[in-house]
Amino acid sequence: MALRGDLILEPILLSVADEAGVLNWGEVFGNDHPVELEIGSGKGTFLLAVSEAKAGVNFVGIEWAKAYAEFAADRLRRHGRMNCRIVHGEAGWWIRAHVPAGSLEAMHIYFPDPWPKTRHHKRRIIQLPFLKEVHRVLKPGGKLRLVTDHADYFAHMKETLGGQSDLKVTEFDSPVAGMGEKGLMVGTNFEKKYIAEGRAFYAVAAVKG
Ligand SMILES: C[S@@+](CC[C@H](N)C(=O)[O-])C[C@H]1O[C@@H](n2cnc3c(N)ncnc32)[C@H](O)[C@@H]1O
């Protein structure tokens, strides 16, 4: 994606030194509101919708692609979403290094890269060690929501969730119900693109008991 030259990244882009250790969300946001985290936040479309509808919640998006992370940071700033932060980084590593245990109300992972070739399956973010990490950072009662258009990845998600007892599979409830455009499950760019292509979606959620 071509970068515009006039992006303003402060104060939404959150840069944390590798050695900074575990963060204190109260210090990051200047309040003690609940925190939700999205992995693979892309252009920030989901965060733009939810951060307006849930102004009393803080949102963190982690995005590996620098151009998208910067685009989303500028976009959220232009819309005055001071309850959002965007991290440019690899989510698995960043969460392990910087996210406090039991500190998240929810985690959102929508249309993660499916890595369809068998030899690439190990690159999928949904793996048992990753789910253990999700369990560590969620609050009791906190929820992980997953959506994909990829049937094989969905089977892998359910099998991996079932292969560990820490998170309990539960019904998926749309986090954007009643917000913005009607009929969307999560309202991300990929959802909108795939609706136009007529693709089917698969969704699952899991809760920390
Ligand atoms: C298929 S796109 C979906 C983007 C967005 N969630 C949506 O639905 O429109 C997957 C996104 O996840 C990002 N991504 C993939 N692996 C990641 C990781 N380990 N950490 C952070 N971002 C990641 C990619 O750069 C890409 O922007």
Side-chain angles (χ1 to χ4, degrees), residues 30-150:
N31 60 54
D32 61 359
H33 297 171
V35 180
E36 301 191 14
L37 187 147
E38 183 188 16
I39 293 178
S41 41
K43 293 182 180 176
T45 304
F46 169 73
L47 295 178
L48 192 64
V50 285
S51 62
E52 180 180 40
K54 295 167 81 175
V57 174
N58 295 322
F59 291 92
V60 179
I62 308 181
E63 173 52 55
W64 175 243
K66 188 166 186 270
Y68 286 140
E70 294 186 343
F71 177 90
D74 179 69
R75 185 184 190 192
L76 292 162
R77 176 198 58 78
R78 281 187 279 115
H79 287 84
R81 300 293 201 276
M82 296 306 143
N83 57 334
C84 288
R85 293 293 181 276
I86 294 287
V87 170
H88 168 226
E90 195 286 304
W93 183 89
W94 199 89
I95 289 169
R96 268 192 304 281
H98 299 304
V99 176
S103 70
L104 300 180
E105 207 72 25
M107 283 184 68
H108 307 268
I109 309 180
Y110 302 136
F111 303 95
D113 295 331
W115 296 107
K117 291 180 181 162
T118 307
R119 71 174 187 278
H120 291 156
H121 283 181
K122 57 181 177 296
R123 298 185 190 176
R124 289 173 166 175
I125 193 153
I126 304 301
Q127 308 286 355
L128 198 52
F130 174 78
L131 291 180
K132 301 271 182 208
E133 195 55 20
V134 171
H135 183 269
R136 181 185 74 80
V137 296
L138 282 175
K139 288 182 172 174
K143 193 181 269 192
L144 167 69
R145 290 186 182 84
L146 303 170
V147 177
T148 180
D149 63 306
H150 198 275

Side-chain angles (χ1 to χ4, degrees), residues 2-21:
L3 257 186
R4 280 182 16 212
D6 56 348
L7 299 180
I8 299 175
L9 308 178
E10 300 294 335
I12 305 294
L13 195 75
L14 176 63
S15 299
V16 180
D18 288 357
E19 62 279 9

